[in-house]
Amino acid sequence: MKQKMKRGLALLTALCMVPGLTGCGQNDAKIVDQGKNEEKEELIIYSPNATGNEVREGGVMSAMQMAIDEFEKDHPNIAVSYKSYTPQDYQEKSYDEVVLDRVRNKMGDDISIMNPDVAYALNQEGYLADLSGLDTVQYLTDDALNQCTVDGKVISVPMTMLCYGLCVNNDLLKRYGLELPKTKQDFLHCCEVLKANGITPIAANRWWMETFVLTQGFAKLYIEDGKEEKIAALNSGETPISQYMRPGFEFLQELMDKGYFDVDFAKTAEAGDEKDQFMNQEVAFVVHYDTAIQDEVYGDHDFDMAFIGFPTDEYGQVNLMNAAQRIGINNETKHYDEAVAFAEQMTSKEVVTELLKNSGGFPPRTDITFERPEILATAYENVEAGRSIPGSNPEIKLEQWGSTCDMVQELYKGKSVDEVMAAFDALQKEAIAK
Amino acid sequence: MKWYKTRAIPIMIAGIVLIGCVIYGLSSRIQNQMEKAATENVREIVQIIESGITEIRSNDVSMAVQLAGLFTPEGDTGALLSQMQKNSVFARLSYIPEGAASGISSNGNAFTPAGFPDQRDQVGEALVTNVYMSDLGAWTYTVECPVYAGDQRAGTFYADVLMERYDNILPDAVFQGEGLVYILDAKTLRFVYEPTSTRVIISGKYDLHGFLDDFGIMEEGLEENISGAIDDAQSTIVRMSVNGETSYVYFWPIDKGAWYLCGIIPERSIQGESKAVTQTIVVTSMIIFLGAVMFFLMFHWYNRKSQKAREEQIDLFNGIARSIDDVVLLYDCDTGVQELAFDNAKRILGVDGKSLTAISECAVDNADEGAEDLTQILCRKNFQDGLERTEKAVWMNPETGLKQYLRVETAFIALDGARKCIVSVVDVTKEVQMQESLQASVLAAQNASQVKSNFLSQMSHEIRTPMNAVVGMVQIAETKFDDRERVADCLRKIKSSSHHLLSLINEILDISKIESQKMSLSEAWFSLDALLSDIDNIISVQAGMRRQRFMICNPVGNMDLLADPIRLKQVLMNLLNNSVKYTPEGGSVTLTIERKAAKMKDYCVLCFRIEDDGIGMSAEFQKKLFTPFEREDRDEVSAQTGTGLGLAIVQSMVSLMGGVLRVESEMGVGTTFYVDVNFKYKSGETRESVEEETQEVCDLTGVVILLAEDNELNREIAAEFLKMANAQVECAADGVDAFEKFRDSEAGRYDIILMDMQMPRWDGLEATRQIRKLDRPDAAAVPIIAVTANAYFEDEQKCLEAGMNDHVAKPLEMQDFYQKVKKYLWHENKEEKK
């Protein structure tokens, strides 16, 4: 037995030594790599960046990453360059301004992610390509397609539909005997009671209070009959835009006057800066879109939260729908086909499904199956009942989303509602004149 | 197995721990080296990038200055600028005439410096702005160069450099595309360049805080530390966990700290190859380590299994050992080392196996020829010769201190290729002792047989001698019938021989009684002088016949003593007879009586000393002097008649009397016996009354005696003795006849019945029992005396148990016979008188 073991060990040792011995003394040159660097076509996409880790998983950036990865896999000869910008604060240029500058200065971006007002502006200036031929278009919901179509031209395709509404701290309301507001008066009552109890009712940033304005006035246009006639009257100048804008601005002015939100904070706050106030239960209301229910935003809350529409006296709660993460293709791009393919990828069923996977919400496509979170029940109910308006309707010559946003800033700065209305009407005339 | 437990396991565990430590140490060392190398790699790469950026930035400024030098503010400046821009690295070239608020750009648009940052750095004649988001929609820095027309400054030349210029210069990422490269403006801490890589698209970090926060780098004080380092234009490389992955976070100053290169490089991307090597080493080491552990566990398992099997075998052996008396030892033939010993070694040999080995080892060292045989056997080199042996050995048991006899057997076997010797040790002490005992018994039996043969031969001689005298004298008397005097002489000698025969038989009876411890003494007053006179009459004759001088010295004088005079006389006569017998002719025998004071009143101690100058006795024989049938084996002794019973009887009798018998003897010098006896003595008045009783005359007139005797001659002698005393005798020929005669007689017809023991039909015992059972008044009362040749003590007991009153042994001594009969008749008369 011992002899066998010794023989086995000797054999094993010998076998171990063979590779070492054969490797010794060799010094032959060996070409380990040889070739030519392949030049890839560069496809440049310019995009705003979502800030913070909260959007890293399950959000739009995650879906974009997924789309890019998939695209690069399918198009190995194309190198996607991803460029982005996010303003540090309100003093810096906004993303919209930068996109406008880049397109107008022909900085070479093939694809840009843009907001509706920018899209409308660039389309008017002739920088955007027609995307009607995308497969995605035939699957877009009517609302999504309408918001992206200008005179029959599909100027952009959205990755998502954002449903704006009010996130409510229901515990705070209950604490003071209040219920979820269904009308403007209910809402003002809530604000009054909360304010009387030392609680600021609303937290606002510099962008999203326009939703209050738009829903108050434009609900009548979209919910009641005769939408086309009304739009025609607006486009002809027969109906001044102030007719629809005034109720909203007056409402906003009332909120400002009564101190129902911190105007100074709202002047400079970027989207998301108000998060801490709401999570710390310092306020009862905050404007956000439906993805607010994600854990990374407001989902991980310690109180009873509700997501409702904006209360109006005439129609009850009304939500505002925006076709967002719009993909526009530069009309002068040298890589149109690649850009179209990329846009198809970005708005594909898989990517949209991925976007809805974690947060639910409202898809821009009709072929998506998704789960409806209970917390969005009111929003689904409102939208399905027709109690929703678009954030911007390209059928109306005056772009609403961006211009309202600008006017809200003016109101913050101290202009009166009348002055703002006058400015609006002037913008309307200017737009009609174009 | 003990070696394995005490040494192998600790060594193996230590080996495994050592291997583990070596592996850990090597891994740690490699890890440290790799960390150093990784840091160095990061440093080198970043330095290269930084050098490139600095060079490019410097070149851009130089280029702008050169272009400004070439620019002429005259003519179509817009076209000139456009032409110059197309062939340059600048995104836009602009010119503002001196004193004008705005100018023109290479893209044909009006140009104003309104959006410029306040901070500018002077580089030569040029001013270089901080990076800012220009109206081109990109992070830009602008080089301002003066334009001269002759010696006069004509305006300012602006060259816009986009940070996106570095898209095609800087790598998207370093280290396998994992390490992204950012550029941070040191003054604003604003990111002014971001990689275009799509590996991580959410790279929009607008400032240092956002950068650190978004990557989860929340270590306390780190941001302040980095900010401070940036203020001091120092580089910083931090190895830390970023989003759960060990990474290197670097901040590296560019161009004296105006910008900072920064980024995060996962450690795995830096240490890719070396990590693989390290992992290979670690895996290989782990495999070796696990192999060692497995080997150890297998070895341990195998040993445990073997140990268990061995322990079971040992348990079996020990179980067997407990039930047997063979001590089994197992030795290695080559080394002589004991490998196994049964537990019963302690029980059987008084020492355990280990100690036995020690003893044997010790014996080997000492090579002591005088050592116990067992150790010699165990220590011999006979384990090596292979010869199987069976040997006897002796062993001094250390526990009991007794010597043991052992049988040692050796056998040889082969175990695992090694020769072993099995030694079986059996304690045969009992067998040896039994054999010795048997031999002693056989010898004793042989001796006893010899003694009895000698005794019978002696008896035959002793009996034949007087019988010869009787037969011879009878024949002489028949021939000399007419010679009355001669006949009378013959009769006297016949009587003497008969008495001798009778004494011989009595001695045998006495020794029988002594052996059965049934010897008893009677008490009677007697005169010391009379006793000594009787002795003198007899011994003087015997001594005279051997021409010896016999002398009695009695300084005590006459005394009346209470004792058994017959037994005392028998003692003294026996001792004196021996002295006469074993003293050569011409010798002397002396009986001396001395008196000593007794402790009690009316008592005295008389010391009888019998001295002779005879042949004496050996010291050895003196030890068994009083053993029955023992006679010294010497010619002088053998020449004398004797039964060998005399001294045994004498000693027993002296003991019964409460006295002491001792002897002093020397071969060829003589022998002295001392007999010290305590006697009660009395005055002369009582002595006279005793003498009167002994002189009573026997007359049985009127007494009717039934004599049952089958032997006609004996019946005649007994009848004749009784008739000579005037008694009326009726004879019966056997027991039945005696019973019937008594049954058929009138009540009170017989005064006494003399009953022989051995008779036809009913013996005397049965006849007595039947007589006693008869329902008549005299059946229980009539004295029945056994007259029989069955003279042993047991015979007497049987007679008494059967209902007889007394026992008379044959041959009948007439006077004794009369006395015995009279005793019961007289006794009856006394009862009647009462």
Side-chain angles (χ1 to χ4, degrees), chain B residues 55-76:
Chain B
E55 182 70 20
I56 289 166
R57 190 162 180 254
S58 175
N59 289 342
D60 288 349
V61 172
S62 300
M63 182 68 71
V65 172
Q66 286 180 12
L67 287 176
L70 295 172
F71 180 76
T72 56
E74 297 169 356
D76 186 355

Side-chain angles (χ1 to χ4, degrees), chain B residues 24 28 72 226 295 343 442 537:
Chain B
Y24 178 77
S28 300
T72 56
I226 293 170
F295 176 76
D343 283 351
V442 168
N537 288 337

Side-chain angles (χ1 to χ4, degrees), chain B residues 270-282:
Chain B
I270 305 173
Q271 298 181 341
E273 296 80 4
S274 54
K275 199 94 175 177
V277 173
T278 308
Q279 284 171 352
T280 303
I281 292 170
V282 169

Side-chain angles (χ1 to χ4, degrees), chain B residues 525-544:
Chain B
W525 290 103
F526 65 91
S527 165
L528 178 60
D529 276 349
L531 179 74
L532 294 176
S533 176
D534 288 345
I535 290 170
D536 185 46
N537 288 337
I538 296 168
I539 298 304
S540 294
V541 172
Q542 292 178 358

Side-chain angles (χ1 to χ4, degrees), chain A residues 49 51-53 56 61 64-65 68 72 80-86 88 92-93 98 101-102 105 107, chain B residues 107 133-139 162 164 167 190 194-196 198-202 204 206-207 214 243:
Chain A
N49 280 311
T51 57
N53 284 330
R56 177 160 290 177
M61 303 312 294
M64 282 181 68
Q65 180 77 66
I68 292 170
E72 288 186 326
V80 177
S81 285
Y82 181 87
K83 298 183 179 180
S84 65
Y85 171 74
T86 301
Q88 187 171 9
E92 288 189 341
K93 284 188 174 182
V98 170
D101 286 343
R102 291 183 70 85
N105 285 292
M107 296 299 289
Chain B
N107 57 11
M133 181 55 74
S134 70
D135 57 359
L136 293 173
W139 293 106
L162 303 185
E164 290 174 26
D167 287 346
R190 183 75 166 85
E194 296 173 358
T196 59
T198 56
R199 297 187 74 95
V200 184
I201 62 169
I202 45 172
Y206 46 79
D207 63 3
D214 285 358
N243 288 328

Side-chain angles (χ1 to χ4, degrees), chain B residues 18 121 140 166 180 259 294 326 344 407 420 500 584 610 626 748 758:
Chain B
L18 185 63
D121 292 331
T140 309
Y166 294 100
L180 303 180
W259 297 347
M294 284 294 293
D326 286 37
N344 58 0
R407 184 176 70 247
K420 311 287 180 185
H500 179 70
I610 298 95
F626 303 112
Q758 290 188 355

Side-chain angles (χ1 to χ4, degrees), chain A residues 61-74 80 159 342 344-348 351, chain B residues 201:
Chain A
M61 303 312 294
S62 174
M64 282 181 68
Q65 180 77 66
M66 172 184 163
I68 292 170
D69 292 345
E70 195 67 25
F71 180 80
E72 288 186 326
K73 192 170 73 177
D74 293 341
V80 177
M159 289 180 70
F342 184 78
E344 293 275 23
Q345 185 72 50
M346 295 283 274
T347 56
S348 67
V351 172
Chain B
I201 62 169

